[in-house]
Amino acid sequence: MNDQLMGKRRIVVLISGSGSNLQSFIDRCADESINGTLVAVLSNRPGVKGLERAAAAAIPNIVVDHSSFESRSEFDAALADVIDSFSPDLVVLAGFMRILTPQFVNRFLGRLINIHPSLLPKYPGLHTHQRAIDAGDSEAGATVHFVTPELDGGPAIVQAKVPLESNDTAESLASRVLGFEHQIYPLAAEWFCQGRLELREGHVILDNELLPEGGVSVEIAEHPGAGE
Ligand code: GAR
């Protein structure tokens, strides 16, 4: 039976680098934990490992190189057209390291999600792990959220909290958090693909309930191991 008949949602993933979160989507779609099909992987950078992961899984993969566009808005318009050519139900930013214009975000509002390596609203932007260490925080983590025009400011769907250890470096913490990212990101996508999750008037609704700020807080019993 084809994907349409099985009601699988069409997912486009945007990457800029290693694509370990992409890999978690590839794996969870393959074992059918996510009721979805990865219809395309798009990268704004050529030659990145995420593109190899997509090719190895026989997923159409395309480079839309931001450096060959005159302006951010021209790049975003071209990228949006490529995304739309795959008619996605869900657009997943997985380590996509470009700031998106409001025009782009509004075109995909409600079906555009991102993962950010901090407990938002703490530490939007870059160097999140070093900032958590420098602030003496007792915990760090990652947040999956709907994307809105405000950078890393959209409402949270799910967070994983990771205790900070006294000898943590930005690298050790990033690696530990990444292992949890690989669990919570496919989980959020699974909810979306089951039709349980939506953005309604700026709020996140899961199973017809309004989620609190910070979204669902996932307790992950077993340490998932360091991320790739
Ligand atoms: C992940 O840690 C993700 O949370 C982060 O980039 C990494 C990508 O890793 N995203 C951001 O910082 C977005 N603001 P991956 O390419 O191995 O999935």
Side-chain angles (χ1 to χ4, degrees), residues 38-65:
L38 299 175
V39 291
V41 171
L42 312 185
S43 173
N44 66 306
R45 290 185 189 281
V48 296
K49 187 169 175 192
L51 288 165
E52 289 171 28
R53 296 179 193 267
I59 300 164
N61 54 95
I62 297 170
V63 175
V64 184
D65 187 343

mmCIF file of all heavy atoms in Angstrom, residues 38-65:
data_model
loop_
_atom_site.group_PDB
_atom_site.id
_atom_site.type_symbol
_atom_site.label_atom_id
_atom_site.label_comp_id
_atom_site.label_asym_id
_atom_site.label_seq_id
_atom_site.Cartn_x
_atom_site.Cartn_y
_atom_site.Cartn_z
ATOM 1 N N LEU A 38 9.672 10.404 5.300
ATOM 2 C CA LEU A 38 10.585 11.503 5.000
ATOM 3 C C LEU A 38 10.618 11.659 3.489
ATOM 4 O O LEU A 38 11.182 10.822 2.784
ATOM 5 C CB LEU A 38 11.972 11.212 5.570
ATOM 6 C CG LEU A 38 12.004 11.054 7.091
ATOM 7 C CD1 LEU A 38 13.386 10.636 7.564
ATOM 8 C CD2 LEU A 38 11.588 12.342 7.790
ATOM 9 N N VAL A 39 9.991 12.726 2.999
ATOM 10 C CA VAL A 39 9.891 12.885 1.544
ATOM 11 C C VAL A 39 11.056 13.675 0.969
ATOM 12 O O VAL A 39 11.318 13.613 -0.233
ATOM 13 C CB VAL A 39 8.538 13.504 1.119
ATOM 14 C CG1 VAL A 39 7.400 12.512 1.373
ATOM 15 C CG2 VAL A 39 8.269 14.829 1.819
ATOM 16 N N ALA A 40 11.758 14.435 1.816
ATOM 17 C CA ALA A 40 12.943 15.157 1.332
ATOM 18 C C ALA A 40 13.767 15.662 2.502
ATOM 19 O O ALA A 40 13.243 15.939 3.579
ATOM 20 C CB ALA A 40 12.548 16.338 0.458
ATOM 21 N N VAL A 41 15.072 15.754 2.268
ATOM 22 C CA VAL A 41 15.999 16.405 3.192
ATOM 23 C C VAL A 41 16.654 17.546 2.427
ATOM 24 O O VAL A 41 17.202 17.338 1.331
ATOM 25 C CB VAL A 41 17.059 15.414 3.706
ATOM 26 C CG1 VAL A 41 18.146 16.135 4.493
ATOM 27 C CG2 VAL A 41 16.407 14.327 4.569
ATOM 28 N N LEU A 42 16.587 18.744 2.992
ATOM 29 C CA LEU A 42 17.174 19.921 2.355
ATOM 30 C C LEU A 42 18.267 20.478 3.253
ATOM 31 O O LEU A 42 18.072 20.576 4.471
ATOM 32 C CB LEU A 42 16.125 21.012 2.123
ATOM 33 C CG LEU A 42 14.797 20.599 1.477
ATOM 34 C CD1 LEU A 42 13.936 21.834 1.220
ATOM 35 C CD2 LEU A 42 15.032 19.873 0.172
ATOM 36 N N SER A 43 19.389 20.827 2.655
ATOM 37 C CA SER A 43 20.491 21.417 3.410
ATOM 38 C C SER A 43 20.878 22.752 2.788
ATOM 39 O O SER A 43 20.911 22.882 1.566
ATOM 40 C CB SER A 43 21.699 20.469 3.391
ATOM 41 O OG SER A 43 22.816 21.109 3.984
ATOM 42 N N ASN A 44 21.200 23.707 3.651
ATOM 43 C CA ASN A 44 21.698 24.989 3.112
ATOM 44 C C ASN A 44 23.201 24.943 2.911
ATOM 45 O O ASN A 44 23.783 25.912 2.436
ATOM 46 C CB ASN A 44 21.329 26.145 4.044
ATOM 47 C CG ASN A 44 22.038 26.066 5.382
ATOM 48 O OD1 ASN A 44 21.953 25.041 6.054
ATOM 49 N ND2 ASN A 44 22.737 27.111 5.773
ATOM 50 N N ARG A 45 23.840 23.821 3.294
ATOM 51 C CA ARG A 45 25.285 23.673 3.111
ATOM 52 C C ARG A 45 25.566 22.398 2.323
ATOM 53 O O ARG A 45 25.047 21.329 2.670
ATOM 54 C CB ARG A 45 25.992 23.534 4.462
ATOM 55 C CG ARG A 45 26.001 24.788 5.273
ATOM 56 C CD ARG A 45 26.841 24.598 6.543
ATOM 57 N NE ARG A 45 26.688 25.723 7.429
ATOM 58 C CZ ARG A 45 27.310 26.878 7.261
ATOM 59 N NH1 ARG A 45 28.137 27.040 6.263
ATOM 60 N NH2 ARG A 45 27.096 27.881 8.091
ATOM 61 N N PRO A 46 26.423 22.507 1.305
ATOM 62 C CA PRO A 46 26.808 21.286 0.571
ATOM 63 C C PRO A 46 27.774 20.438 1.390
ATOM 64 O O PRO A 46 28.456 20.950 2.285
ATOM 65 C CB PRO A 46 27.497 21.847 -0.683
ATOM 66 C CG PRO A 46 27.924 23.236 -0.341
ATOM 67 C CD PRO A 46 27.047 23.734 0.776
ATOM 68 N N GLY A 47 27.817 19.169 1.103
ATOM 69 C CA GLY A 47 28.872 18.296 1.635
ATOM 70 C C GLY A 47 28.743 17.908 3.093
ATOM 71 O O GLY A 47 29.692 17.376 3.669
ATOM 72 N N VAL A 48 27.593 18.139 3.704
ATOM 73 C CA VAL A 48 27.479 17.813 5.133
ATOM 74 C C VAL A 48 27.057 16.357 5.338
ATOM 75 O O VAL A 48 26.466 15.729 4.449
ATOM 76 C CB VAL A 48 26.495 18.766 5.859
ATOM 77 C CG1 VAL A 48 27.017 20.200 5.822
ATOM 78 C CG2 VAL A 48 25.096 18.679 5.274
ATOM 79 N N LYS A 49 27.355 15.859 6.523
ATOM 80 C CA LYS A 49 27.096 14.443 6.804
ATOM 81 C C LYS A 49 25.614 14.087 6.730
ATOM 82 O O LYS A 49 25.244 12.974 6.357
ATOM 83 C CB LYS A 49 27.662 14.095 8.190
ATOM 84 C CG LYS A 49 27.587 12.624 8.507
ATOM 85 C CD LYS A 49 28.367 12.255 9.750
ATOM 86 C CE LYS A 49 28.160 10.788 10.084
ATOM 87 N NZ LYS A 49 28.657 10.453 11.421
ATOM 88 N N GLY A 50 24.774 15.034 7.096
ATOM 89 C CA GLY A 50 23.328 14.776 7.043
ATOM 90 C C GLY A 50 22.865 14.398 5.646
ATOM 91 O O GLY A 50 21.936 13.590 5.490
ATOM 92 N N LEU A 51 23.486 14.965 4.634
ATOM 93 C CA LEU A 51 23.115 14.619 3.257
ATOM 94 C C LEU A 51 23.478 13.164 2.962
ATOM 95 O O LEU A 51 22.743 12.457 2.259
ATOM 96 C CB LEU A 51 23.805 15.560 2.267
ATOM 97 C CG LEU A 51 23.273 16.998 2.241
ATOM 98 C CD1 LEU A 51 24.243 17.923 1.510
ATOM 99 C CD2 LEU A 51 21.883 17.059 1.582
ATOM 100 N N GLU A 52 24.615 12.728 3.507
ATOM 101 C CA GLU A 52 25.007 11.313 3.324
ATOM 102 C C GLU A 52 24.013 10.392 4.016
ATOM 103 O O GLU A 52 23.667 9.329 3.504
ATOM 104 C CB GLU A 52 26.396 11.067 3.931
ATOM 105 C CG GLU A 52 27.525 11.697 3.160
ATOM 106 C CD GLU A 52 28.841 11.606 3.931
ATOM 107 O OE1 GLU A 52 29.013 10.669 4.734
ATOM 108 O OE2 GLU A 52 29.682 12.499 3.735
ATOM 109 N N ARG A 53 23.563 10.806 5.192
ATOM 110 C CA ARG A 53 22.584 9.981 5.920
ATOM 111 C C ARG A 53 21.303 9.849 5.098
ATOM 112 O O ARG A 53 20.705 8.766 5.021
ATOM 113 C CB ARG A 53 22.243 10.615 7.271
ATOM 114 C CG ARG A 53 23.401 10.712 8.254
ATOM 115 C CD ARG A 53 22.871 11.382 9.521
ATOM 116 N NE ARG A 53 23.882 11.815 10.456
ATOM 117 C CZ ARG A 53 24.347 11.105 11.475
ATOM 118 N NH1 ARG A 53 23.902 9.880 11.668
ATOM 119 N NH2 ARG A 53 25.238 11.609 12.311
ATOM 120 N N ALA A 54 20.865 10.973 4.493
ATOM 121 C CA ALA A 54 19.643 10.942 3.679
ATOM 122 C C ALA A 54 19.839 10.034 2.476
ATOM 123 O O ALA A 54 18.973 9.201 2.161
ATOM 124 C CB ALA A 54 19.286 12.360 3.231
ATOM 125 N N ALA A 55 20.985 10.180 1.808
ATOM 126 C CA ALA A 55 21.249 9.360 0.616
ATOM 127 C C ALA A 55 21.281 7.884 0.984
ATOM 128 O O ALA A 55 20.729 7.042 0.259
ATOM 129 C CB ALA A 55 22.571 9.793 -0.025
ATOM 130 N N ALA A 56 21.904 7.570 2.123
ATOM 131 C CA ALA A 56 21.996 6.164 2.550
ATOM 132 C C ALA A 56 20.614 5.578 2.811
ATOM 133 O O ALA A 56 20.405 4.372 2.679
ATOM 134 C CB ALA A 56 22.872 6.052 3.802
ATOM 135 N N ALA A 57 19.669 6.444 3.181
ATOM 136 C CA ALA A 57 18.303 5.972 3.446
ATOM 137 C C ALA A 57 17.413 6.154 2.216
ATOM 138 O O ALA A 57 16.184 6.017 2.313
ATOM 139 C CB ALA A 57 17.713 6.728 4.631
ATOM 140 N N ALA A 58 18.016 6.500 1.086
ATOM 141 C CA ALA A 58 17.301 6.679 -0.190
ATOM 142 C C ALA A 58 16.219 7.760 -0.107
ATOM 143 O O ALA A 58 15.141 7.628 -0.703
ATOM 144 C CB ALA A 58 16.707 5.350 -0.668
ATOM 145 N N ILE A 59 16.527 8.817 0.628
ATOM 146 C CA ILE A 59 15.601 9.954 0.731
ATOM 147 C C ILE A 59 16.113 11.051 -0.217
ATOM 148 O O ILE A 59 17.309 11.381 -0.180
ATOM 149 C CB ILE A 59 15.565 10.500 2.174
ATOM 150 C CG1 ILE A 59 15.104 9.403 3.136
ATOM 151 C CG2 ILE A 59 14.651 11.726 2.271
ATOM 152 C CD1 ILE A 59 15.401 9.715 4.590
ATOM 153 N N PRO A 60 15.225 11.609 -1.048
ATOM 154 C CA PRO A 60 15.666 12.707 -1.917
ATOM 155 C C PRO A 60 16.339 13.798 -1.091
ATOM 156 O O PRO A 60 15.800 14.213 -0.060
ATOM 157 C CB PRO A 60 14.350 13.213 -2.530
ATOM 158 C CG PRO A 60 13.419 12.056 -2.447
ATOM 159 C CD PRO A 60 13.805 11.290 -1.212
ATOM 160 N N ASN A 61 17.537 14.200 -1.505
ATOM 161 C CA ASN A 61 18.259 15.220 -0.727
ATOM 162 C C ASN A 61 18.773 16.299 -1.655
ATOM 163 O O ASN A 61 19.333 16.008 -2.712
ATOM 164 C CB ASN A 61 19.366 14.585 0.113
ATOM 165 C CG ASN A 61 20.305 13.738 -0.697
ATOM 166 O OD1 ASN A 61 21.358 14.191 -1.130
ATOM 167 N ND2 ASN A 61 19.899 12.489 -0.946
ATOM 168 N N ILE A 62 18.571 17.529 -1.217
ATOM 169 C CA ILE A 62 18.791 18.679 -2.100
ATOM 170 C C ILE A 62 19.541 19.749 -1.320
ATOM 171 O O ILE A 62 19.240 19.997 -0.147
ATOM 172 C CB ILE A 62 17.436 19.245 -2.574
ATOM 173 C CG1 ILE A 62 16.685 18.199 -3.408
ATOM 174 C CG2 ILE A 62 17.610 20.542 -3.363
ATOM 175 C CD1 ILE A 62 15.263 18.547 -3.722
ATOM 176 N N VAL A 63 20.506 20.378 -1.978
ATOM 177 C CA VAL A 63 21.204 21.518 -1.381
ATOM 178 C C VAL A 63 20.605 22.797 -1.945
ATOM 179 O O VAL A 63 20.510 22.960 -3.163
ATOM 180 C CB VAL A 63 22.716 21.464 -1.689
ATOM 181 C CG1 VAL A 63 23.410 22.714 -1.158
ATOM 182 C CG2 VAL A 63 23.341 20.206 -1.087
ATOM 183 N N VAL A 64 20.177 23.671 -1.048
ATOM 184 C CA VAL A 64 19.814 25.045 -1.442
ATOM 185 C C VAL A 64 20.821 25.917 -0.695
ATOM 186 O O VAL A 64 20.672 26.183 0.492
ATOM 187 C CB VAL A 64 18.360 25.395 -1.051
ATOM 188 C CG1 VAL A 64 17.992 26.782 -1.573
ATOM 189 C CG2 VAL A 64 17.381 24.353 -1.575
ATOM 190 N N ASP A 65 21.869 26.278 -1.408
ATOM 191 C CA ASP A 65 23.036 26.914 -0.767
ATOM 192 C C ASP A 65 22.746 28.400 -0.525
ATOM 193 O O ASP A 65 22.623 29.174 -1.477
ATOM 194 C CB ASP A 65 24.243 26.732 -1.693
ATOM 195 C CG ASP A 65 25.539 27.212 -1.050
ATOM 196 O OD1 ASP A 65 25.484 27.967 -0.057
ATOM 197 O OD2 ASP A 65 26.604 26.828 -1.569
#
